[in-house]
Amino acid sequence: MKQIKLAFVLLTIMIVLGNCTFENRTTTTKMCLEDLDMNVQDTLRNLPVDSFGCHPDLIDLTGHYKLIIKEFGPWCYAQKLENLETGKYYWFDYSTPRPIIVTAEEIIFPMEYNIVNRGVESTDTFNIIDNQLEP
């Protein structure tokens, strides 16, 4: 009987958590690198590298945003991009490719992984969220 209760509880938890999503509920547009603002293109082509050879996860051109990685134990389950001035935030799935670039008008993130490591090309595509909309 105890095993049946435990199985029921675990099944319930799996169903509830399996239906959770971390979507922004905002529409994104897709754009090639060559169509992005020249300042963003230059930033992507000249990203700084730290002492471990890693590129930054967040490129904030406004100075008002912070990227928070949500973890449960050793596992990352979501990314939260928060505006420190307004309190406005965006949720991203843990598997969203980085870097996330924030400008005054848009939030830009790549559609593929490792675009910076392999070299940014003019045909690389990015998702764009209008930063003026409420999430």
Side-chain angles (χ1 to χ4, degrees), residues 111-123:
M111 292 188 62
E112 298 176 18
Y113 296 102
N114 300 322
I115 62 158
V116 176
N117 293 340
R118 66 172 166 73
V120 182
E121 299 172 358
S122 60
T123 56

Side-chain angles (χ1 to χ4, degrees), residues 30-43:
K30 295 179 185 3
M31 198 177 281
C32 288
L33 176 71
E34 59 190 14
D35 298 328
L36 294 175
D37 181 70
M38 204 58 171
N39 188 24
V40 173
Q41 290 182 38
D42 291 341
T43 301

Side-chain angles (χ1 to χ4, degrees), residues 55-68:
H55 300 283
D57 291 336
L58 175 65
I59 302 165
D60 182 10
L61 301 177
T62 66
H64 304 296
Y65 282 84
K66 175 176 151 183
L67 183 65
I68 302 165

